Amino acid sequence: MPDSNVPDDLDAKHARNREQRIAAIKRWVAYIESEPPEKWGPQQNAVVNDQLEAAQRVQTSAAHKQHVTDVAADIADAAADTDDT
């Protein structure tokens, strides 16, 4: 008997996860708009530093590292383009 509900369940889970991530981002934006950078800046730095340390502990291929570098460059370019306008 095929398990036809599995893709639907997975799609629903992905949708819920996406909604939760968007809600968390909105809460973070509201927080940084209501608080001075001196308060939230160190918090954000701690999160980013922890993520970097975790990423450094994971063994990744050169191709993946290059992909991440390329994506970061694309994001930086897009941000620079919006800053220029």
Side-chain angles (χ1 to χ4, degrees), residues 2 11 15-16 18 29-30 32 42 45 51 54 57 69 81 84-85:
D11 289 343
R16 280 191 310 275
R18 184 175 188 279
V29 169
I32 66 172
N45 288 341
Q51 289 174 337
R57 286 192 298 269
T69 301
D81 289 346
D84 292 341
T85 57

Side-chain angles (χ1 to χ4, degrees), residues 74-85:
D74 291 345
I75 291 169
D77 290 345
D81 289 346
T82 35
D83 290 344
D84 292 341
T85 57

Side-chain angles (χ1 to χ4, degrees), residues 22-83:
I22 290 171
I25 291 167
K26 288 179 179 180
R27 284 191 305 273
W28 179 250
V29 169
Y31 176 70
I32 66 172
E33 289 177 343
S34 68
E35 299 293 336
E38 296 79 20
K39 182 173 182 180
W40 59 260
Q43 295 169 346
Q44 184 175 9
N45 288 341
V47 169
V48 171
N49 289 340
D50 286 347
Q51 289 174 337
L52 288 172
E53 289 173 14
Q56 289 170 347
R57 286 192 298 269
V58 175
Q59 299 297 321
T60 57
S61 68
H64 180 72
K65 289 179 184 179
Q66 186 60 52
H67 173 71
V68 171
T69 301
D70 293 344
V71 169
D74 291 345
I75 291 169
D77 290 345
D81 289 346
T82 35
D83 290 344

